[in-house]
Amino acid sequence: MRVALVNPNWSFEGSIYFGCREPHLPLEFGYAKALLERDGHVAEILDAQLLDLSDAALLARVREFRPDMTVVTTAPSYLFWRCCPPELRVPQAVVRLLRPVAGTLVGVGPHSSTTPRAALAKLGVDVVVQGECEEPIALLASGRDWCSIPSLCHARDGAVRVQGGPHAGTFTDLPALSWPDGWIARHRHHHHRFDAPPAGPGAEVEASRGCPYSCTFCAKENFRDRYRRRPVEVVMREIDGLIAQGVEYVYFIDEIFLPNRPLLEALAERPVRFGVQTRIDIWKPEMIALLGRAGCVSIEAGVESLTAEGRQALDKDCRLSTDELTERLILARRHVAFVQANLIDAGDDDPETVRAWRDRLRQHGVWANDPVPLFPYPGSPDYRRLWGLPDDRAWERALDHYLAAHGRFSDLQDERPRPLAELEAAHG
């Protein structure tokens, strides 16, 4: 079978989208391609965002490839599945564009993982995958009856079938990925790096997947939930390949980059810098020092609230006091060029206390954001607390609630977001 794996050329105009807008490597499609080729299929990734393909160019590329099956994602790379655009406007347009040449159309991403019926209907595809998508894509290409494949949603005999729950891949057995030289040469973005301008290409890598914590705001219940760690030798084989292609910085997309001495000691031997997202309370001083020696130049650490009660309300399961967290952040800054502490606007922190804390951190070189309003992503505990399990209108409900509750928005948003129905009106 010939399988096209399509990442749209994203537009975020009018969206509440919180993630980075630069292109990133589509790791989920990299794994899927490897599994498909292992099984004897022909697979091609068409990343319209990284390659900056127009609609006409994307259509021409897919037509030339002549796929039997085309997979379209609803979020720009695994890195942003937990904070994806709520609307499906862009993938809807791609599905409509490619329908005449696509073969069987498959939808994957956070929307189909959390609200499969709604995603199937809105996208207009033949089938959607719930959960982590690499292995289900390979099963779809195998020719098996869809009714025998778990974690799918499709129509059969006039009825929509939702088969089982979201898929969680083994992950630890996935191979080291490799990317075309031309793709790496175009990847000039260094995600969340602020210590120096890029001199060479950047890339994204995954050392672990999932998180052992269950913070109320994190939308990982339907994908990338259970914590798993790749073998260090596989991760380093992938990074060595990237270094050979000229990459000087990698960003670990891991939900939480936990202390891993063998990985850090291996990185310390390589000419590469890297960034991570983590929580500072799980790092002991000696491991923070090793993190710096290994080449880490960017830490994004979730503190969320300045009170123990506030952190408990968010189920952070944090055992350090605010003063201890502060000292740990300041220590990290002595070893790592950029350290960011994230705060969430949960309504519990005194504004004057927040201002004084941010000022203190700033004096030590640590950047802390102004508290960001929470968006209750479908698939997060916060969503369930408000409305129960997500139904077919979950994304509309969450966005309407957010727009009504907040008069101001994130620093990342340069305009007032528009309602979902308005964004999707032209494509639904």
Side-chain angles (χ1 to χ4, degrees):
M1 181 174 284
R2 299 175 66 83
V3 182
L5 305 160
V6 176
N7 185 37
N9 197 348
W10 294 92
S11 164
F12 306 106
E13 182 181 358
S15 176
I16 204 166
Y17 179 58
F18 295 92
C20 177
R21 302 182 178 209
E22 297 290 333
H24 303 79
L25 295 174
L27 300 185
E28 63 278 21
F29 282 166
Y31 298 129
K33 183 174 189 290
L35 296 183
L36 288 164
E37 291 177 343
R38 179 201 63 187
D39 293 343
H41 304 293
V42 178
E44 181 167 340
I45 304 174
L46 296 156
D47 190 330
Q49 186 184 25
L50 181 65
L51 302 178
D52 194 22
L53 299 179
S54 66
D55 283 354
L58 176 61
L59 178 62
R61 293 281 295 270
V62 174
R63 179 184 285 121
E64 181 183 13
F65 180 65
R66 295 180 290 105
D68 303 297
M69 185 171 87
T70 297
V71 184
V72 178
T73 182
T74 65
S77 104
Y78 260 155
L79 179 55
F80 305 110
W81 276 37
R82 289 180 300 143
C83 58
C84 62
E87 75 280 0
L88 289 173
R89 169 189 52 182
V90 173
Q92 283 174 317
V94 168
V95 167
R96 181 170 295 183
L97 173 75
L98 300 181
R99 169 59 82 182
V101 298
T104 299
L105 270 163
V106 182
V108 301
H111 303 79
S112 61
S113 301
T114 304
T115 54
R117 290 176 182 272
L120 182 73
K122 285 185 178 183
L123 288 172
V125 294
D126 301 301
V127 58
V128 297
V129 173
Q130 304 174 72
E132 298 163 20
C133 62
E134 304 93 343
E135 289 151 340
I137 289 172
L139 287 174
L140 281 166
S142 72
R144 276 175 51 177
D145 184 345
W146 291 358
C147 293
S148 70
I149 302 176
S151 305
L152 299 184
C153 174
H154 61 104
R156 176 68 65 92
D157 300 328
V160 174
R161 299 171 57 105
V162 180
Q163 297 168 185
H167 178 74
T170 304
F171 178 63
T172 54
D173 60 352
L174 292 174
L177 297 179
S178 61
W179 304 95
D181 289 343
W183 283 32
I184 295 301
R186 293 181 68 95
H187 194 308
R188 308 301 296 182
H189 173 59
H190 290 189
H191 184 72
H192 207 265
R193 184 179 188 183
F194 304 99
D195 65 301
E204 290 76 42
V205 176
E206 189 175 22
S208 67
R209 183 178 293 185
C211 176
Y213 297 94
S214 301
C215 302
T216 64
F217 50 85
C218 187
K220 67 178 183 66
E221 293 184 336
N222 298 312
F223 46 81
R224 305 180 64 84
D225 187 12
R226 178 172 52 85
Y227 183 76
R228 293 145 285 173
R229 180 180 282 178
R230 292 173 88 190
V232 170
E233 57 270 24
V234 175
V235 178
M236 295 315 303
R237 195 181 314 139
E238 187 169 318
I239 290 175
D240 284 342
L242 292 168
I243 293 171
Q245 290 176 296
V247 166
E248 62 166 12
Y249 174 86
V250 298
Y251 186 79
F252 286 95
I253 74 160
D254 311 33
E255 279 73 15
I256 181 168
F257 189 88
L258 294 177
N260 183 339
R261 181 178 291 278
L263 176 62
L264 293 177
E265 289 177 342
L267 286 165
E269 297 174 352
R270 267 76 171 179
V272 67
R273 299 289 182 262
F274 63 92
V276 301
Q277 51 188 342
T278 187
R279 43 188 291 169
I280 204 66
D281 56 306
I282 58 175
W283 288 82
K284 295 180 179 177
E286 66 163 316
M287 290 302 290
I288 292 177
L290 176 57
L291 185 64
R293 290 199 303 275
C296 182
V297 294
S298 175
I299 293 176
E300 187 177 8
V303 173
E304 325 307 358
S305 173
L306 296 186
T307 67
E309 294 77 14
R311 292 190 291 274
Q312 185 175 354
L314 296 167
D315 280 350
K316 285 287 291 184
D317 192 21
C318 177
R319 298 181 181 178
L320 297 189
S321 68
T322 300
D323 284 343
E324 290 170 323
L325 289 170
T326 305
E327 292 303 322
R328 200 65 64 89
L329 289 164
I330 292 171
L331 172 66
R333 180 59 186 85
R334 295 184 190 132
H335 297 280
V336 175
F338 180 81
V339 177
Q340 174 181 342
N342 286 342
L343 293 177
I344 287 176
D345 182 5
D348 296 326
D349 287 328
D350 171 60
E352 182 57 29
T353 301
V354 171
R355 186 197 60 75
W357 186 74
R358 294 181 69 199
D359 286 347
R360 181 186 174 194
L361 284 182
R362 197 176 297 120
Q363 289 170 3
H364 293 276
V366 178
W367 190 79
N369 68 292
D370 202 17
V372 175
L374 276 170
F375 182 81
Y377 278 97
S380 69
D382 274 337
Y383 182 95
R384 275 191 289 105
R385 286 179 177 182
L386 287 168
W387 300 296
L389 292 174
D391 62 11
D392 290 352
R393 286 193 51 77
W395 297 93
E396 285 85 350
R397 185 177 298 110
L399 184 54
D400 289 347
H401 169 83
Y402 186 82
L403 294 177
H406 301 292
R408 65 185 180 83
F409 299 97
S410 161
D411 295 342
L412 298 171
Q413 296 156 326
D414 53 9
E415 58 183 341
R416 183 176 178 82
R418 292 152 57 192
L420 209 61
E422 185 178 330
L423 288 171
E424 294 178 342
H427 306 285

